């Protein structure tokens, strides 16, 4: 496998996997919270929060990348705050690529989890309450197990989206091999040099394989969970 | 356990103003749909917060709007059996049954429910490893009853638990309920719109109508109260009876406060205490002792009062020995017999049905 891909190409694949993995893991708690709030709570600013979450889906990725640069770049208002303490946290680093991927994938994750939460009958949660379970316990013992398929679906969708993220990443953290050059950036870079098509073709193949594997995995997991709940 | 309940709540289409006490045993909240029965039970459970009210279970205040006390549902320690069983689909039957136990440990348990015994009474032993998705309606409801009881509640709330089941399934579950009540000494608040369930289960009755309490008290008293507003085909007395013995022709002799009665096809042991129901429309009246009739049960009685029931009918309340009976007559018959309070009559009981054996 390593013979088949050059070390530089291999580096791009591994970086993409790492960036996407951390993008999904790090945004999951917030995604779960926001999905629960949108599904179950009625509060002032509900529509505004919903809009904000979905914004990256409808904005041009370049705009999202630029806004990230303004916010988290070394001179951005959060970036500048972190800089004296931790050095550059996101700017031109793989963590920045993960941040960009997380923001772009967030709407998909929230949407999948929210749909799963809305499908849970609140009457079941009420029944758990009458049996002595306080709110956090109701969530942990009833809601969470029932929305697990939705969470898995949301994570895999978000992972696939993160793997394919290009516009916001290249705008925010550029295209530095080994640092921020993810699969799509590497494919783009390969197509910019004469004779780069074979490299691009190999990376495209890797992208397809990873995407297909993610899809099959999510199908298998949700089938297994559904079978468990159906009760055979 | 005694529940003292008082609430006032305004809905767009209904104003509820309800107060009653539920002592140990089964208290049935009876009324047509939409009269506010479920709202009362939800208020007891803490699922609905009334505008104003006070709900006390023995010495624990569950709600007192004047003092600003409102315990959340999970701290009230009540069992709630819903009309739809609401079992947790991701847990097995056994895990469902034990759900409440995870959370009651911290309370000092006065009495620990014996899991094996309850599973045995409900007949759900063979289901323990299955998931709710594969259970029938009757099985689900029995598991739901077990789950509520095993949470070790001080009070069991049952909101029409049998309404969604067919007659055969109801007949399976009713004896379980009676056994549970008798063996565990539970206090149960039971919502129903079915007269047969009330007559069979109730120790006490609260009749609700349009958000108000129309009648409340011990079952024998409320069910013979013409002011409780039962329809003519629902009205009737319930009577405790003691089995004396069976004769060779198959008739059983019973002793009741109203006098001795003969009933066919009764298989109870001598000394057993039973509950009978005598529907008002199966009681005929005669001024003189009837002769040459087929009815075996003729009781001496005295008219207490008469209540017009629609345009043509009359509900007559009778005192027979130490019991109260109801008779439904046409107004024409009542006039022909010249019935007035205090009148001595003979009550011909055409049928009496066995409701249950009492422990």
């Amino acid at each position: 496998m390593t013979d088949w891909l050059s070390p530089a190409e291999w580096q791009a694949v591994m970086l993409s996997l790492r960036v996407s993995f951390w993008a999904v893991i790090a945004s999951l708690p917030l995604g779960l919270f926001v999905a629960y709030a949108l599904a179950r709570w009625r509060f002032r600013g509900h529509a505004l929060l919903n809009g904000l979450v979905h914004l990256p889906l409808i904005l041009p990725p370049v705009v999202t990348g630029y806004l990230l640069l303004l916010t988290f770049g070394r001179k951005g208002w959060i970036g500048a705050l972190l800089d004296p303490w931790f050095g550059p946290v996101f700017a031109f680093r793989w963590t920045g690529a993960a941040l960009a991927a997380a923001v772009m994938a967030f709407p998909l994750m929230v949407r999948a989890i929210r749909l799963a939460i809305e499908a849970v009958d609140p009457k079941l949660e009420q029944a758990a309450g009458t049996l002595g379970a306080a709110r956090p316990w109701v969530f942990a013992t009833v809601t969470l197990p029932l929305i697990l398929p939705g969470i898995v679906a949301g994570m895999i969708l978000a992972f696939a989206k993160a793997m394919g993220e290009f516009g916001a990443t290249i705008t925010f953290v550029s295209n530095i091999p080994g640092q921020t050059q993810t699969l799509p950036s590497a494919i783009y870079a390969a197509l910019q040099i004469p004779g780069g098509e074979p490299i691009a073709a190999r990376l495209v193949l890797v992208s397809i394989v990873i995407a297909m594997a993610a899809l099959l995995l999510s199908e298998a997991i949700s089938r297994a969970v559904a079978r468990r709940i159906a009760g055979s | 356990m005694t529940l003292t309940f008082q609430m006032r709540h305004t809905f767009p289409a209904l104003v509820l103003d309800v107060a009653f006490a539920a002592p140990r045993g089964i208290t049935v909240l009876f009324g047509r749909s939409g009269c506010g029965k479920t709202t009362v039970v939800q208020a007891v459970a803490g699922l609905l917060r009334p505008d104003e009210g006070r709900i006390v279970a023995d010495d624990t205040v569950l709600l007192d709007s004047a003092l600003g006390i409102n315990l959340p549902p999970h701290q009230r320690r009540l069992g709630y059996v819903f009309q739809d069983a609401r079992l947790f689909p991701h847990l097995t039957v056994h895990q469902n049954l034990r759900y409440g136990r995870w959370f009651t440990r911290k309370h000092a348990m006065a009495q620990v429910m014996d899991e094996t015994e309850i599973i045995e009474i409900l007949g759900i032993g063979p289901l323990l490893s299955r998931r709710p998705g594969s259970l029938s309606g009757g099985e689900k409801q029995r598991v739901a009853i077990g789950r509520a009881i095993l949470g070790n509640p001080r009070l069991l709330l049952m909101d029409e638990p049998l309404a969604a089941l067919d007659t055969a399934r109801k007949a399976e579950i009713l004896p379980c309920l009676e056994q549970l009540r008798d063996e565990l000494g539970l206090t149960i608040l039971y919502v129903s719109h079915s007269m047969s369930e009330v007559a069979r289960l109730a120790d006490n009755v609260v009749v609700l109508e349009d958000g108000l309490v129309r009648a409340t008290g011990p079952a024998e008293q409320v069910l013979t109260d013409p002011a409780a507003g039962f329809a003519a085909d629902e009205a009737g007395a319930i009577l405790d009876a003691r089995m004396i013995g069976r004769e060779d022709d198959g008739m059983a002799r019973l002793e009741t406060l109203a006098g001795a009665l003969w009933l066919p096809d009764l298989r109870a042991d001598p000394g057993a205490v039973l509950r009978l129901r005598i529907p008002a429309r199966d009681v005929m009246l005669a001024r003189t002792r009837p002769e040459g009739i087929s009815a075996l049960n003729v009781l001496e009685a005295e008219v207490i009062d008469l209540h017009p029931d629609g345009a043509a009918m009359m509900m007559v309340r009778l005192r027979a020995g130490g019991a109260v009976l109801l008779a439904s007559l046409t107004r024409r018959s009542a006039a022909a017999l010249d019935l007035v309070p205090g009148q001595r009559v003979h009550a011909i009981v055409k049928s009496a049905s066995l409701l249950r054996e009492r422990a």
Side-chain angles (χ1 to χ4, degrees):
Chain A
M1 183 94 178
T2 27
D3 298 344
W4 185 67
L5 289 172
S6 76
E9 291 158 17
W10 192 239
Q11 194 178 45
V13 171
M14 292 312 288
L15 179 70
S16 257
L17 288 173
R18 178 161 54 142
V19 161
S20 305
F21 176 81
W22 285 111
V24 171
I25 295 300
S27 60
L28 183 61
L30 185 64
L32 200 54
F33 178 79
V34 170
Y36 192 87
L38 288 175
R40 283 289 153 84
W41 296 337
R42 288 290 160 262
F43 52 91
R44 210 191 282 249
H46 187 273
L48 185 70
L49 178 64
N50 192 34
L52 267 177
V53 166
H54 283 93
L55 214 51
L57 207 60
I58 43 175
L59 278 180
V62 181
V63 173
T64 306
Y66 183 61
L67 288 173
L68 285 171
L69 193 60
L70 289 183
T71 318
F72 293 99
R74 291 196 71 171
K75 297 202 163 60
W77 58 277
I78 293 182
L81 219 65
L82 298 173
D83 207 69
W85 303 92
F86 305 104
V89 178
F90 296 111
F92 306 110
R93 298 189 58 208
W94 75 270
T95 46
L99 178 65
V103 169
M104 294 299 289
F106 199 64
L108 297 176
M109 178 188 277
V110 168
R111 197 166 186 79
I113 298 175
R114 179 182 172 177
L115 285 175
I117 293 173
E118 284 171 349
V120 173
D121 191 347
K123 288 174 171 183
L124 286 177
E125 297 167 321
Q126 221 175 43
T130 65
L131 287 162
R135 292 299 309 174
W137 281 111
V138 174
F139 182 79
T141 58
V142 176
T143 320
L144 195 60
L146 289 174
I147 63 172
L148 214 53
I151 294 178
V152 170
M155 285 173 73
I156 288 177
L157 260 175
F159 183 82
K161 172 76 183 167
M163 286 295 292
E165 216 306 299
F166 176 65
T169 310
I170 207 164
T171 312
F172 179 31
V173 290
S174 184
N175 187 357
I176 306 160
Q179 274 297 327
T180 62
Q181 193 177 72
T182 57
L183 258 181
S185 310
I187 294 171
Y188 174 75
L191 290 173
Q192 300 302 304
I193 52 168
E197 280 91 349
I199 304 172
R202 283 199 293 275
L203 292 176
V204 164
L205 203 62
V206 173
S207 301
I208 293 173
V209 168
I210 291 174
M212 267 319 268
L215 208 63
L216 291 175
L217 182 70
S218 101
E219 280 290 309
I221 291 173
S222 51
R223 253 204 312 272
V225 175
R227 218 182 4 247
R228 210 167 71 97
I229 288 177
S232 37
Chain B
M1 218 301 301
T2 298
L3 175 79
T4 321
F5 182 92
Q6 182 265 316
M7 77 170 266
R8 210 187 296 266
H9 192 76
T10 307
F11 288 109
L14 181 72
V15 179
L16 267 140
D17 189 352
V18 177
F20 64 87
R24 205 170 122 155
I26 299 185
T27 298
V28 177
L29 269 175
F30 178 79
R32 310 259 164 270
S33 54
C35 70
K37 305 181 298 265
T38 297
T39 308
V40 168
V41 176
Q42 287 182 333
V44 176
L47 302 179
L48 174 134
R49 183 174 192 171
D51 296 340
E52 186 258 300
R54 184 175 153 84
I55 305 171
V56 184
D58 269 348
D59 44 11
T60 308
V61 178
L62 305 179
L63 173 90
D64 191 323
S65 51
L67 296 177
I69 298 172
N70 181 24
L71 282 188
H74 67 273
Q75 286 174 10
R76 295 196 177 196
R77 234 158 52 71
L78 309 171
Y80 198 141
V81 181
F82 301 87
Q83 187 175 336
D84 46 336
R86 302 196 191 179
L87 300 177
F88 304 125
H90 58 295
L91 302 178
T92 63
V93 166
H94 201 199
Q95 289 167 329
N96 265 284
L97 289 172
R98 294 205 145 174
Y99 188 86
R101 217 161 249 213
W102 299 349
F103 306 104
T104 43
R105 221 169 281 147
K106 56 183 172 284
H107 299 282
M109 279 200 234
Q111 162 202 20
V112 179
M113 300 293 177
D114 180 5
E115 188 181 278
T116 336
E117 186 194 344
I118 285 161
I119 289 172
E120 166 84 37
I121 292 174
L122 291 165
I124 50 180
L127 312 176
L128 290 181
S129 59
R130 287 171 54 188
R131 279 179 209 280
S134 65
L135 302 183
S136 72
E139 290 169 335
K140 278 184 189 161
Q141 206 52 275
R142 275 183 283 158
V143 175
I145 292 168
R147 182 179 69 174
I149 292 175
L150 285 167
N152 198 40
R154 51 179 133 224
L155 170 73
L156 194 58
L157 305 168
M158 307 187 93
D159 188 0
E160 308 226 18
L162 308 181
L165 305 177
D166 59 49
T167 317
R169 298 288 91 68
K170 282 182 196 173
E172 275 171 31
I173 296 183
L174 278 168
C176 301
L177 277 179
E178 287 160 4
Q179 203 181 341
L180 288 169
R181 182 223 18 216
D182 295 335
E183 289 185 13
L184 306 174
L186 289 170
T187 301
I188 302 177
L189 188 59
Y190 189 104
V191 168
S192 179
H193 67 267
S194 145
M195 194 59 203
S196 64
E197 277 171 41
V198 179
R200 176 160 177 170
L201 292 172
D203 297 309
N204 292 277
V205 181
V206 179
V207 182
L208 284 187
E209 195 177 278
D210 299 329
L212 299 173
V213 175
R214 176 130 186 199
T216 174
E220 313 86 69
Q221 191 185 312
V222 172
L223 293 185
T224 51
D225 181 358
F230 298 116
D233 58 343
E234 289 176 345
I238 53 174
L239 210 54
D240 285 340
R242 201 161 62 82
M243 181 80 172
I244 303 295
R246 254 164 75 95
E247 310 238 318
D248 294 339
D249 61 356
M251 295 303 289
R253 187 160 180 75
L254 297 158
E255 193 181 78
T256 74
L257 282 178
L261 290 174
W262 291 98
L263 248 74
D265 300 324
L266 208 61
R267 306 211 172 280
D269 295 326
V273 178
L274 313 167
R275 182 184 261 197
L276 303 177
R277 172 168 164 76
I278 301 176
R281 52 157 193 245
D282 285 348
V283 176
M284 286 165 54
L285 298 184
R287 289 284 296 258
T288 53
R289 185 160 188 93
E291 283 177 15
I293 60 165
S294 62
L296 291 170
N297 295 312
V298 180
L299 301 168
E300 306 229 341
E302 183 189 315
V303 174
I304 300 172
D305 46 19
L306 298 101
H307 297 264
D309 180 19
M313 303 299 289
M314 188 71 94
M315 190 64 78
V316 183
R317 202 145 62 120
L318 307 161
R319 176 169 308 287
V324 176
L325 298 181
L326 281 182
S328 177
L329 314 178
T330 60
R331 288 198 186 197
R332 183 180 294 181
S333 312
L337 292 179
D338 198 13
L339 294 179
V340 288
Q343 178 77 52
R344 304 287 313 173
V345 290
H346 297 273
I348 302 149
V349 178
K350 286 190 285 183
S351 79
S353 53
L354 174 71
L355 290 171
R356 65 166 193 228
E357 249 182 80
R358 286 189 69 129

